[in-house]
Amino acid sequence: MWFFTLLALGVPVLYLLNRWSTSRNERRRIEREAIRRGCSPPPVMPRKGFMGFGWLAEGLRATKTDRGPQHVIESIDQEMGKDVHTVLVGIFDYDLIVSRDPANVQAVLATEAHDWDISEHRAASWEPLKHSRSLIRPQFSMQQINDLDLLERHVQQLIAAISRHRDGGCAQGWTRKFDLQPLFYNLALDVVTEMVYGYSVHSQNPAERVELPELPGHEPSDRANIGKHMDAGKFWVETRGALWKYRWLLPSWPFSKHCAAVHKYAEWFVQLRLRRGDDYLDGLQHQQGAANKDRYVLLHELAKMTQDPVELRSQTLNVLIAGRDTTAALLGWAFYLLARHPRVWNKLRRDVLEKFGHNPPRGFGTKEFRVLLPYLHAVINETLRVAPVVPLNERVALRDTILPRGGGPNRDRPIFVPKGTQILIPTYAMAQRPDLWGPDYDQFRPERWLEDGGRRFGFEFLPFGGGVRQCLGQQFARIKAAYVTVRLLQRYDRIENAETPPDGPMRFHHTIENRSGSGVQVRLHEADADPSAP
């Protein structure tokens, strides 16, 4: 019996001794390699809580209360000082680097990008909603995605939804107080589902939803609730990602049904395209009563390159999720900020009316709207700075590498980064550095993008990430947000902030993308009708 008792005690002891010995040897190797490469260690954040798990717990609490991006800034400033921009954080048995230094970000995302990639833990967190990018990227460089006629149809549905808030004895021309943010998410979902699959879910106005064709062996997907399933699934993915290597602590069963519903939605259209082949667009013509010969439908184009149903599902889900969330979040924050800055609203509206009057703009690609409406371009950039759609990014070192800055007593020495080390890139924190953006860094002031011939931004401004893995929906979101903003400014001449209290702090609700945690509570006043308006 004593033999088995000693054996039972000895196994964990031997395991701990082995881990300690391995860790000691690795520390010695790192020290030797750092010296060889001329590197110095970065500042180290003091451990908080049991084995450093306090930092993880605090981060999760901050995210839950819509203060995640601010928490990163406050933690570094309070513990290390406002002039420290790269720190090492220890949590149990691993160290991670947090850097708001553009020089380090440039190395990770661009100049030394071959040394970095998303971590296996992040990839595993995304697995239930997995999507790839290999076939998608060329599609986003094609002019076909800029279907302004499609967008205009859904803008009219948005305006109709806003008009429904005028019922109930509102003052002349004014809406009641309402939340504009859900309407932007409906708009973006309606646009992207039609662009990707040919059939809009018409979440803004379900009465417009067409009946789907028969598909033997496959029940129609849940179009009415697909937005809710996407949000619930992304919340789970975000929480798993925050837990990193401890994601297994989060049970999966409450959210598996949402992921399954998202997969089922995409799978139905994939099977329809595979069965109909080149006749897929003819089916759309029959359903929607409009010619579709030259119409761009992403699924139809991708199926010309692959017939793999899993690949088609993954690729189209990539665009569905990114295309909805980036556009809707950007629009929400833009009108959140415009409602609090009437001077900017009035100036932007004057520009729009001088350029387009009340008519829908044409030829409105990214380059064109930058040239035609530079102030609108500045408003969008300033919105993305003050409230970035992607406030946090991450990578992991694929091999031993270095960061160019942050080590030593003056924090100007390179830092040695061992293979497997994770780095967090808080894009919001970089956008809130006064040494990069001036003493008014905390103010919404679009003019900063037009002064001195126009600001040229680098890696201190990464609202959609950077490098080869930057958000594929970036230009899609910018163009759509710009167009919708123009159309609403043509329709409404005044906007009021209706949030209570009106000067409450910004709340960053982070579920992959970053949206307002309090919504976009506004009142809108309809401008006098223009006879040339559609």
Side-chain angles (χ1 to χ4, degrees):
M1 179 65 69
W2 60 268
F3 172 79
F4 293 104
T5 302
L6 289 176
L7 182 63
L9 292 173
V11 169
V13 170
L14 288 173
Y15 171 78
L16 291 175
L17 286 173
N18 182 64
R19 288 293 302 270
W20 176 80
S21 176
T22 302
S23 176
R24 183 185 61 176
N25 292 337
E26 178 64 10
R27 285 197 303 270
R28 289 176 175 174
R29 186 193 72 82
I30 291 172
E31 290 171 0
R32 290 194 301 268
E33 191 65 17
I35 293 172
R36 188 183 72 82
R37 298 190 185 208
C39 298
S40 298
V44 179
M45 292 275 279
R47 285 185 179 264
K48 180 168 287 191
F50 176 71
M51 301 294 288
F53 279 110
W55 288 121
L56 186 60
E58 282 192 2
L60 291 172
R61 282 196 297 269
T63 299
K64 187 176 181 180
T65 57
D66 298 332
R67 298 195 69 259
Q70 299 99 316
H71 173 71
V72 174
I73 297 175
E74 292 166 359
S75 298
I76 296 176
D77 287 355
Q78 292 172 8
E79 295 288 346
M80 311 302 294
K82 294 185 177 181
D83 60 342
V84 174
H85 304 303
T86 301
V87 297
L88 189 71
V89 182
I91 300 177
F92 190 45
D93 62 344
Y94 73 95
D95 294 327
L96 64 88
I97 295 171
V98 181
S99 183
R100 54 184 176 180
D101 186 332
N104 290 338
V105 175
Q106 182 176 8
V108 171
L109 299 181
T111 56
E112 305 298 328
H114 56 278
D115 285 345
W116 301 86
D117 202 351
I118 63 170
S119 68
E120 61 176 304
H121 305 291
R122 179 178 171 185
S125 295
W126 270 103
E127 187 66 28
L129 288 176
K130 184 178 179 180
H131 51 260
S132 54
R133 306 156 61 98
S134 58
L135 296 179
I136 291 297
R137 187 176 297 278
Q139 303 297 327
F140 270 89
S141 66
M142 301 172 68
Q143 189 63 27
Q144 290 96 319
I145 70 171
N146 299 323
D147 188 343
L148 297 185
D149 290 332
L150 181 156
L151 183 56
E152 176 63 26
R153 284 190 282 105
H154 291 289
V155 167
Q156 292 303 316
Q157 292 293 333
L158 169 65
I159 292 173
I162 294 173
S163 297
R164 288 193 283 272
H165 290 279
R166 290 186 56 185
D167 300 333
C170 299
Q172 185 65 32
W174 284 97
T175 66
R176 300 186 305 271
K177 168 187 174 179
F178 73 105
D179 188 357
L180 190 52
Q181 184 165 263
L183 303 189
F184 285 144
Y185 273 82
N186 288 342
L187 166 76
L189 181 62
D190 293 348
V191 170
V192 77
T193 50
E194 185 168 348
M195 187 195 83
V196 172
Y197 299 113
Y199 296 87
S200 174
V201 298
H202 285 294
S203 56
Q204 203 82 269
N205 183 7
E208 294 287 323
R209 198 174 291 152
V210 300
E211 184 178 352
L212 293 176
E214 291 288 334
L215 185 60
H218 294 270
E219 295 181 2
S221 55
D222 185 3
R223 290 186 289 170
N225 295 299
I226 184 61
K228 296 178 181 178
H229 291 307
M230 289 169 61
D231 285 336
K234 289 194 305 96
F235 172 79
W236 178 51
V237 168
E238 172 66 21
T239 306
R240 280 167 57 94
L243 290 172
W244 204 53
K245 66 188 292 184
Y246 307 107
R247 64 188 182 279
W248 53 269
L249 293 171
L250 184 69
S252 61
W253 60 266
F255 302 97
S256 58
K257 64 177 182 179
H258 299 294
C259 298
V262 173
H263 284 176
K264 182 179 178 181
Y265 174 84
E267 183 68 25
W268 192 92
F269 292 103
V270 168
Q271 291 300 323
L272 182 67
R273 170 58 178 82
L274 293 177
R275 293 192 186 189
R276 284 188 169 179
D278 292 339
D279 294 334
Y280 187 73
L281 296 185
D282 295 337
L284 296 182
Q285 182 178 8
H286 172 72
Q287 291 292 326
Q288 302 198 7
N292 288 285
K293 179 180 178 181
D294 299 323
R295 187 173 172 189
Y296 180 83
V297 175
L298 180 63
L299 172 61
H300 184 60
E301 298 301 320
L302 292 177
K304 296 176 183 179
M305 295 182 280
T306 179
Q307 297 284 294
D308 182 348
V310 175
E311 180 76 2
L312 291 173
R313 184 189 70 190
S314 297
Q315 298 281 1
T316 55
L317 280 180
N318 183 28
V319 179
L320 177 64
I321 295 172
R324 182 196 71 148
D325 296 341
T326 52
T327 302
L330 174 53
L331 276 167
W333 282 118
F335 279 80
Y336 176 99
L337 293 164
L338 288 171
R340 287 156 176 76
H341 298 85
R343 177 193 66 82
V344 178
W345 169 277
N346 292 332
K347 181 177 180 179
L348 183 57
R349 188 168 191 272
R350 285 195 301 270
D351 282 2
V352 167
L353 294 182
E354 287 176 5
K355 181 61 64 176
F356 298 115
H358 291 270
N359 300 310
R362 295 299 176 198
F364 204 68
T366 304
K367 181 179 179 180
E368 288 77 9
F369 97 76
R370 289 181 181 179
V371 174
L372 294 173
L373 291 171
Y375 193 61
L376 173 59
H377 183 57
V379 168
I380 289 177
N381 274 345
E382 184 70 346
T383 298
L384 289 167
R385 185 189 72 84
V386 173
V389 174
V390 184
L392 187 69
N393 213 325
E394 69 90 37
R395 292 291 187 271
V396 67
L398 299 176
R399 56 188 64 86
D400 289 350
T401 186
I402 65 171
L403 294 174
R405 196 160 61 191
N410 297 322
R411 297 175 295 281
D412 57 355
R413 300 284 298 166
I415 298 169
F416 178 69
V417 182
K419 175 183 177 180
T421 303
Q422 183 191 28
I423 184 170
L424 298 184
I425 301 170
T427 53
Y428 174 79
M430 283 196 295
Q432 295 294 303
R433 281 180 53 177
D435 58 320
L436 296 178
W437 299 96
D440 63 348
Y441 69 95
D442 57 346
Q443 301 298 311
F444 178 73
R445 195 174 67 83
E447 285 76 11
R448 77 177 73 245
W449 297 94
L450 303 174
E451 294 165 347
D452 301 323
R455 182 182 176 103
R456 297 288 186 269
F457 55 81
F459 282 84
E460 76 279 5
F461 181 65
L462 296 170
F464 293 96
V468 297
R469 285 189 173 273
Q470 66 180 314
C471 177
L472 293 175
Q474 174 175 182
Q475 299 307 326
F476 180 88
R478 284 180 175 271
I479 294 170
K480 270 49 181 179
Y483 184 92
V484 174
T485 300
V486 166
R487 297 297 285 132
L488 292 186
L489 284 163
Q490 290 173 322
R491 184 80 176 199
Y492 303 98
D493 58 4
R494 278 175 282 174
I495 186 172
E496 284 188 355
N497 170 24
E499 187 170 332
T500 304
D503 57 349
M506 296 177 71
R507 292 174 52 192
F508 295 93
H509 185 69
H510 188 202
T511 54
I512 310 305
E513 96 287 355
N514 174 42
R515 66 179 80 175
S516 169
S518 58
V520 183
Q521 310 292 335
V522 297
R523 295 175 70 228
L524 289 169
H525 183 269
E526 191 166 353
D528 293 335
D530 183 86
S532 64

